Amino acid sequence: MASNNPVGAPPYPFRVRIWSGNNERTQAIRVKTGHSILQRPIALNAARGSVGRYNEAQKQGLETITGRFNFYLLPAFSLHAFSSAIEVLTLANEATGRNVYSWQVVSGDGQPVVSSCGITISSAVGLRSERDRLRSNPAPVAIVCGGRSLPRHDSQLDAWLRECRNRRACLIGIGGGTLVLARAGVAEGRRCAVHWEQFPLFLEQFPSVIATQAAFEKDGELYTCSGADASFDTFLDLVGRDHGAAVVNRICEKAIACRVRSVGDRQRLPPNSRVRFNHKAVIEVIDQMEAHIGDPKSVNGLVAATGLTRRQIERLFKRELGRGPSRYYLELRLERAHLLLRSSNLSVIEIAVACGFVSASHFSKVYRDMYGFAPHQTRLLSHGAGLDRPYDPLTDPPGDPAADRMITSARTMRAESAFHGGGRL
């Protein structure tokens, strides 16, 4: 099989083409392949003499491919999220004892794609070729896999996604891939799971999409997930709809997965917290806080629906999160403001109002207390010097001083660590 790897580069298992043209028989290769919830069994092309080859494949214990997945990788995509999805499909093939899932990697120009951690994945096909193939073949599931970086606009990618939607193909957005689906216009009026770091910008740019901070969401034929481990949960849900709970349980056993999230489950909780196991009332209060960032509610209003008293909630928050509900609420609003300063074009005043601060001077004071510098300084660092954005392997070569961009300023990091880890500021 021809290789398109650069000279001297080691072969990578995802380079293999699983199918091609109209010949839909399983290739006699040691590759685990598969099947999608929206794909019907593919008829063999007898006119091309594939019946004899299929019979030979049956003798070898191979199966006809009944479902296909196209993974379109964005530059600086999350390798964690991508490999989690592939692992579920691989383990599903093992658990069923059949080749029920297949996949291939697609890139804009058919060239290898660099992940956010610098590892390169080879592509099987370019987007133009895949669009041509779509016109004469059943549409596979189309997955756009991104990362934390904001994806660049790509009209060809948007057109492909709209074609897939028109062919009633299942669409899946992973991490930053959800922004691409929204930008292509295929998520209008749908529920979409958005990574919490991209959530404020997503709300600003796509008001017609119902954005949530869930691990993953399903709305019709559209799946979206926040990335990382949520990709594993998303594809488990796909497998469960195809093959039932027994296969999902078997996959979890093989993957040593102790917890499986469902559609709409929370995306994140503060680390070192026991909230995930106890005290649903605390989670309910946090949900209310996140739903009322721009119009803050009083603590009494937040706890009214929990059935507990304010004193009980105060005690639970301090024990579980290291601070009271008022302080935690303020930190949530400041975190939202911090993300908007880094990623949006809203003015500082607009951001203050959007995060529930009625006074610009009060906002600047509490923001400086938490992050160590004024809001406008955060914007200068993010949009000017670029010191407050993730490392981009496309523009920041390894070992280059620009790799320091992976790390925010020390004072900002201490503030964020204190918030997420439960420490006191």
Side-chain angles (χ1 to χ4, degrees):
M1 186 171 297
S3 170
N4 60 358
N5 266 8
V7 176
Y12 199 86
F14 297 120
R15 288 183 54 260
V16 65
R17 285 291 303 278
I18 307 301
W19 70 88
S20 61
N22 292 323
N23 182 4
E24 301 295 348
R25 70 179 181 84
T26 300
Q27 305 297 311
I29 308 172
R30 291 183 60 83
V31 176
K32 297 179 174 62
T33 56
H35 152 171
S36 153
I37 58 172
L38 297 180
Q39 303 300 326
R40 290 173 287 187
I42 306 300
L44 295 176
N45 188 345
R48 296 181 60 183
S50 60
V51 172
R53 293 193 296 271
Y54 175 62
N55 290 336
E56 182 62 26
Q58 282 186 312
K59 294 178 183 178
Q60 299 177 26
L62 299 177
E63 305 254 346
T64 304
I65 296 175
T66 56
R68 307 174 297 171
F69 291 78
N70 272 344
F71 283 86
Y72 185 94
L73 302 183
L74 296 171
F77 70 95
S78 167
L79 186 63
H80 182 181
F82 172 62
S83 60
S84 294
I86 294 292
E87 186 68 6
V88 172
L89 301 180
T90 300
L91 293 177
N93 290 341
E94 292 184 6
T96 59
R98 297 178 290 133
N99 292 331
V100 294
Y101 289 105
S102 67
W103 54 88
Q104 71 172 357
V105 173
V106 181
S107 66
D109 55 5
Q111 297 302 307
V113 187
V114 183
S115 68
S116 60
C117 64
I119 292 178
T120 299
I121 302 296
S122 295
S123 170
V125 65
L127 185 56
R128 184 179 299 275
S129 297
E130 189 55 38
R131 287 185 65 188
D132 291 340
R133 186 177 297 111
L134 181 63
R135 298 185 179 98
S136 57
N137 288 273
V141 176
I143 303 110
V144 182
C145 182
R148 293 177 57 203
S149 300
L150 299 179
R152 302 184 183 96
H153 183 263
D154 186 334
S155 58
Q156 185 176 342
L157 175 58
D158 292 349
W160 177 61
L161 292 171
R162 288 191 289 268
E163 289 171 4
C164 290
R165 177 199 57 188
N166 294 339
R167 297 285 296 275
R168 303 188 64 81
C170 180
L171 300 175
I172 303 176
I174 299 177
T178 301
L179 280 81
V180 173
L181 295 179
R183 193 166 54 201
V186 298
E188 296 290 320
R190 305 290 190 89
R191 293 181 64 84
C192 289
V194 183
H195 191 281
W196 63 270
E197 288 184 308
Q198 298 170 340
F199 190 75
L201 178 64
F202 193 97
L203 288 177
E204 178 193 353
Q205 292 190 348
F206 307 109
S208 61
V209 179
I210 306 170
T212 74
Q213 293 190 64
F216 74 99
E217 294 280 6
K218 179 184 183 297
D219 194 333
E221 73 283 0
L222 178 70
Y223 274 87
T224 52
C225 79
S226 52
D229 285 341
S231 177
F232 189 87
D233 298 304
T234 303
F235 278 76
L236 279 180
D237 190 82
L238 283 163
V239 172
R241 292 170 188 273
D242 280 346
H243 302 289
V247 172
V248 169
N249 291 339
R250 186 59 177 160
I251 292 171
C252 291
E253 290 175 353
K254 288 174 174 286
I256 320 298
C258 300
R259 175 175 178 257
V260 178
R261 286 174 289 198
S262 302
V263 171
D265 279 2
R266 287 189 62 85
Q267 184 179 124
R268 76 197 256 254
L269 285 170
N272 305 319
S273 168
R274 296 187 297 277
V275 173
R276 67 178 63 236
F277 303 114
N278 298 299
H279 308 305
K280 291 183 178 179
V282 176
I283 297 178
E284 290 175 9
V285 171
I286 294 175
D287 284 340
Q288 291 243 12
M289 290 177 177
E290 292 179 343
H292 294 275
I293 294 291
D295 56 335
K297 300 178 67 174
S298 67
V299 174
N300 288 335
L302 292 170
V303 304
T306 65
L308 300 178
T309 66
R310 174 167 178 164
R311 178 172 293 184
Q312 288 173 314
I313 291 293
E314 293 268 2
R315 186 164 55 247
L316 287 173
F317 263 78
K318 289 180 179 178
R319 187 175 73 187
E320 300 293 336
L321 305 176
R323 75 271 273 156
S326 295
R327 178 62 183 179
Y328 186 84
Y329 200 1
L330 175 63
E331 291 171 352
L332 276 179
R333 292 159 57 205
L334 287 172
E335 181 194 55
R336 175 70 60 84
H338 182 65
L339 293 172
L340 284 171
L341 286 166
R342 293 169 57 182
S343 61
S344 78
N345 293 319
L346 295 175
S347 69
V348 172
I349 296 295
E350 289 173 323
I351 290 173
V353 172
C355 297
F357 296 95
V358 295
S359 165
S361 59
H362 177 242
F363 169 61
S364 295
K365 180 182 182 301
V366 294
Y367 185 91
R368 185 188 292 273
D369 289 343
M370 181 168 178
Y371 288 101
F373 39 74
H376 73 274
Q377 292 174 306
T378 295
R379 172 146 290 172
L380 289 174
L381 285 171
S382 301
H383 295 183
L387 297 177
D388 202 27
R389 67 168 177 80
Y391 168 62
D392 186 347
L394 297 177
T395 59
D396 303 337
D400 189 274
D404 291 339
R405 295 171 180 170
M406 293 176 65
I407 306 172
T408 58
S409 69
R411 300 176 77 179
T412 301
M413 180 171 286
R414 285 198 298 272
E416 290 178 337
S417 176
F419 174 60
H420 294 301
R424 301 304 294 267
L425 293 172

